[in-house]
Amino acid sequence: MIEHLENAGLFLTDQQHVLRLDDQYDCSHLIVINEVPIGTLKYQTHAQHVEIMQLQIHPLHQNKGYGKAVIEQVITNAQSKPIKLTVLKNNPALGLYKRLGFTITGEIITSTTCKRGLFVAKISRFDL
């Protein structure tokens, strides 16, 4: 994830990374495969939708289908509720989300933590 942030021009200090991880930590779930922690999923179920706040798979375990499996489980558990998330436009995970039925519903441009605008795609999946 750090690589995607830095490619977008967002360079966080160690303290900022810790704060990002600690934010709504009670919504975090460790992803474990064969007793090895490989990532985290942070999400919340609201009355009208499910929000994925963060999905991180360790680089050594990326491109093995684990992120896809996690998202598919969230889709199953959402029970037809819309699923919403934001993703950096330069993050390769955007392609995965699109393949799983998510569509871009908007764009956010923010410059609160970096000098150039950070383009973030707002995407959602609706099962009707």
Side-chain angles (χ1 to χ4, degrees):
M1 183 66 180
I2 293 172
E3 178 183 339
H4 303 301
L5 293 172
E6 290 179 352
N7 286 341
L10 186 60
F11 299 91
L12 302 179
T13 66
D14 288 344
Q15 181 181 8
Q16 288 171 316
H17 281 292
V18 169
L19 289 172
R20 189 170 181 270
L21 288 172
D22 284 345
D23 183 45
Q24 296 184 331
Y25 188 77
D26 57 320
C27 299
S28 294
H29 304 272
L30 196 58
I31 302 166
V32 178
I33 302 292
N34 298 322
E35 300 182 20
V36 176
I38 65 159
T40 58
L41 169 68
K42 193 183 293 185
Y43 78 101
Q44 282 186 313
T45 300
H46 302 277
Q48 300 298 319
H49 71 280
V50 173
E51 176 189 10
I52 297 175
M53 294 144 22
Q54 205 171 54
L55 172 60
Q56 295 182 336
I57 304 293
H58 189 280
L60 293 176
H61 299 282
Q62 292 177 0
N63 299 309
K64 296 180 180 180
Y66 298 132
K68 178 182 178 189
V70 168
I71 296 297
E72 287 173 336
Q73 188 64 49
V74 171
I75 291 168
T76 298
N77 292 343
Q79 301 178 344
S80 298
K81 286 184 182 179
I83 302 169
K84 300 179 180 185
L85 61 93
T86 58
V87 62
L88 294 172
K89 286 180 65 176
N90 69 332
N91 188 330
L94 180 57
L96 169 64
Y97 298 131
K98 287 181 177 181
R99 288 191 302 277
L100 291 173
F102 288 81
T103 57
I104 295 175
T105 59
E107 254 184 47
I108 301 168
I109 304 171
T110 178
S111 59
T112 57
T113 52
C114 62
K115 292 191 177 186
R116 65 180 190 214
L118 180 63
F119 292 88
V120 180
K122 293 176 67 173
I123 64 176
S124 296
R125 177 189 164 93
F126 297 91
D127 286 333
L128 301 175

